[in-house]
């Protein structure tokens, strides 16, 4: 685990000293876009034109944020349009590393060994964390975007004229509702489990973990009335929640100590998780070995002996 400081790799765990034991997530650095014609009505962003084979997605199968991008790439049928490289789940002192683990690949664009080399390739003086997912332009050799919530919106439409599957996960008429539930789910659940798990003070952990379960109670109530988070339509809000839920009992319950109760004990949330898991294409984006191996073996401070638990056995069938 580490980060780049002016282009130099520094091996360092998250700083929770200066924040009273709290884990505070930094904003992503690359925020450009891809549109059908390379035009965008937003002066803060550049837009790249959609082209088959030009863009490449870097993911970890362990990471819930990268899994959102992987899931939308699959659901929109972009496998032949946007390339894919998968890092090893073992993230040690050099950060995300390619190959050398079943299911991981080499860096199919540059053949780099470490993901941080891609970041300094595009920005030699880069300072910041080296995170997945990364959406990369192989033509201009630039990182287009490394923020999963934006990458999934790019995938939602940018390649629709180039053979993407039908499907709109951010429909115009539901945007306000989706934005509202996304904010809640991000703060309390997606990032909520990290706030509990990476806390280095008891009271910070307790508050974080309690927030997770209060939020799950609210989600349980919503799902007792609706099939999905926003009525009966499956949207990006569900994709964003799902990638955390599918990891919950395997890692967040044990490794991040979010253990008030297992997810399987929530009747509606557990049914909802299985409904999404069983959608066409979704199981191929969930790799519980990468998920468990990454968290338990890479977070030295939490699990110094790197023992990966044998369970739980989870049955995702409906
Ligand atoms: N806001 C980013 C967060 C991505 C993120 O934090 N990814 C984690 C993996 S789960 C990562 O790469 N962490 C490496 C690090 O922080 O050094 C997103 O949603 O894309």
């Amino acid at each position: 685990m580490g980060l780049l400081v002016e282009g130099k790799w520094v091996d360092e765990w998250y700083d929770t000293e200066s924040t009273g034991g709290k884990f505070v997530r930094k904003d992503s650095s690359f925020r450009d876009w891809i549109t059908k014609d390379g035009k965008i009505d937003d002066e803060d962003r550049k837009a790249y034109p959609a082209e088959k084979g030009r863009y490449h997605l870097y993911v970890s199968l362990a990471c819930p944020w990268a899994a959102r991008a992987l899931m939308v790439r699959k659901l929109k049928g972009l496998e032949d349009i946007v390339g894919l490289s998968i890092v090893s789940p073992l993230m040690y002192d050099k950060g995300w590393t390619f190959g050398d683990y079943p299911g991981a690949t080499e860096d199919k664009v540059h053949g780099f060994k470490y993901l941080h080399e891609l970041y300094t390739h595009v920005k030699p003086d880069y300072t910041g964390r080296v995170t997945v997912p990364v959406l990369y332009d192989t033509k201009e050799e630039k990182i287009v975007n490394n923020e999963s919530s934006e990458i999934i919106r790019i995938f939602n439409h940018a390649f629709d004229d180039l053979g993407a599957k039908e499907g709109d996960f951010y429909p115009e008429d539901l945007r306000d509702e989706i934005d509202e539930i996304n904010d809640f789910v991000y703060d309390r659940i997606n990032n909520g489990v990290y706030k509990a798990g990476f806390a280095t003070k008891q009271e910070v952990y307790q508050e974080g973990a309690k927030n997770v379960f209060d939020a799950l109670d609210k989600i349980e109530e919503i799902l007792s009335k609706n099939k999905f988070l926003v009525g009966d339509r499956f949207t990006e809000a569900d994709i964003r929640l799902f990638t955390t839920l599918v990891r919950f009992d395997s890692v967040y319950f044990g490794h991040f100590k979010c253990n008030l109760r297992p997810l399987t004990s929530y009747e509606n949330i557990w049914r909802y998780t299985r409904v999404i898991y069983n959608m066409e294409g979704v199981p191929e984006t969930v790799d519980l070995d990468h998920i468990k191996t990454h968290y338990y073996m890479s977070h030295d401070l939490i699990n110094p002996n790197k023992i990966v638990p044998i369970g739980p056995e989870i049955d995702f069938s409906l």
Side-chain angles (χ1 to χ4, degrees):
M1 175 82 79
L3 74 168
L4 284 167
V5 178
E6 290 173 10
K8 297 260 172 328
W9 182 257
V10 183
D11 180 22
E12 196 178 283
W13 183 255
Y14 298 115
D15 169 30
T16 55
E17 281 289 307
S18 58
T19 51
K22 281 192 188 139
F23 164 66
V24 181
R25 189 176 290 280
K26 298 267 189 303
D27 285 343
S28 306
S29 315
F30 299 92
R31 310 298 285 265
D32 286 329
W33 217 260
I34 301 171
T35 59
K36 289 175 189 174
D37 54 6
K39 297 199 178 95
I40 192 163
D41 192 13
D42 181 345
E43 55 192 38
D44 295 329
R45 300 184 200 262
K46 166 181 166 138
Y48 295 76
E51 266 175 48
K52 192 173 172 174
R54 171 166 172 173
Y55 301 96
H56 199 80
L57 181 67
Y58 289 91
V59 298
S60 153
L61 300 181
C63 168
W65 319 98
R68 298 167 165 185
L70 191 65
M71 205 167 149
V72 178
R73 175 178 177 268
K74 185 84 190 169
L75 294 172
K76 289 288 294 186
L78 302 179
E79 296 99 312
D80 294 334
I81 299 173
V82 178
L84 183 71
S85 293
I86 300 171
V87 293
S88 163
L90 302 169
M91 191 180 67
Y92 295 147
D93 55 341
K94 294 285 196 298
W96 293 117
T97 305
F98 292 99
D100 228 8
Y101 192 92
T105 69
E106 58 189 25
D107 168 5
K108 294 182 194 164
V109 181
H110 292 290
F112 290 140
K113 186 158 185 219
Y114 304 112
L115 187 67
H116 70 70
E117 295 174 84
L118 186 76
Y119 276 69
T120 47
H121 180 69
V122 304
K123 201 166 187 300
D125 62 347
Y126 177 78
T127 294
R129 304 216 68 92
V130 172
T131 56
V132 282
V134 175
L135 183 59
Y136 182 71
D137 175 16
T138 63
K139 197 162 175 179
E140 287 190 29
E141 304 199 354
K142 293 269 163 58
I143 293 179
V144 178
N145 199 302
N146 71 339
E147 170 51 46
S148 62
S149 58
E150 296 184 344
I151 296 174
I152 64 175
R153 290 204 183 147
I154 294 172
F155 286 174
N156 194 39
H157 282 313
F159 302 99
D160 283 358
D161 293 347
L162 296 175
K165 278 191 188 157
E166 272 184 33
D168 178 2
F169 302 115
Y170 191 49
E172 294 246 16
D173 57 320
L174 299 182
R175 287 187 181 177
D176 289 347
E177 281 170 87
I178 293 173
D179 291 345
E180 195 184 329
I181 192 81
N182 278 348
D183 285 348
F184 176 77
V185 167
Y186 171 78
D187 181 53
R188 305 285 290 272
I189 302 180
N190 300 141
N191 199 36
V193 293
Y194 282 87
K195 286 194 267 187
F198 284 161
T200 53
K201 291 249 185 323
Q202 179 69 27
E203 60 278 12
V204 175
Y205 153 72
Q206 260 173 243
E207 190 192 332
K210 189 173 176 307
N211 277 338
V212 169
F213 286 94
D214 287 349
L216 287 175
D217 289 345
K218 187 174 162 194
I219 298 294
E220 176 70 2
E221 199 192 316
I222 295 173
L223 295 175
S224 71
K225 300 183 195 115
N226 295 349
K227 185 168 182 205
F228 294 112
L229 285 181
V230 180
D232 283 341
R233 273 148 82 187
F234 177 68
T235 67
E236 65 158 49
D238 301 299
I239 294 167
R240 292 170 49 136
L241 176 58
F242 172 77
T243 63
T244 296
L245 297 183
V246 81
R247 287 160 174 72
F248 201 90
D249 284 357
S250 296
V251 286
Y252 303 141
F253 185 92
H255 186 64
F256 278 179
K257 304 185 186 72
C258 292
N259 62 0
L260 215 50
R261 49 192 284 200
L263 203 72
T264 47
S265 70
Y266 287 92
E267 184 187 341
N268 295 296
I269 296 178
W270 183 235
R271 178 184 34 77
Y272 164 88
T273 305
R274 286 176 295 135
V275 164
I276 299 175
Y277 182 90
N278 284 284
M279 288 178 173
E280 198 186 324
V282 173
E284 293 96 296
T285 69
V286 181
D287 187 319
L288 282 173
D289 173 57
H290 276 233
I291 291 170
K292 283 173 61 175
T293 302
H294 166 66
Y295 283 89
Y296 282 100
M297 293 192 68
S298 308
H299 297 155
D300 265 11
L301 216 69
I302 304 177
N303 192 33
N305 288 327
K306 301 185 176 9
I307 303 291
V308 184
I310 56 171
E313 282 177 349
I314 300 181
D315 180 2
F316 285 102
S317 63
L318 274 171

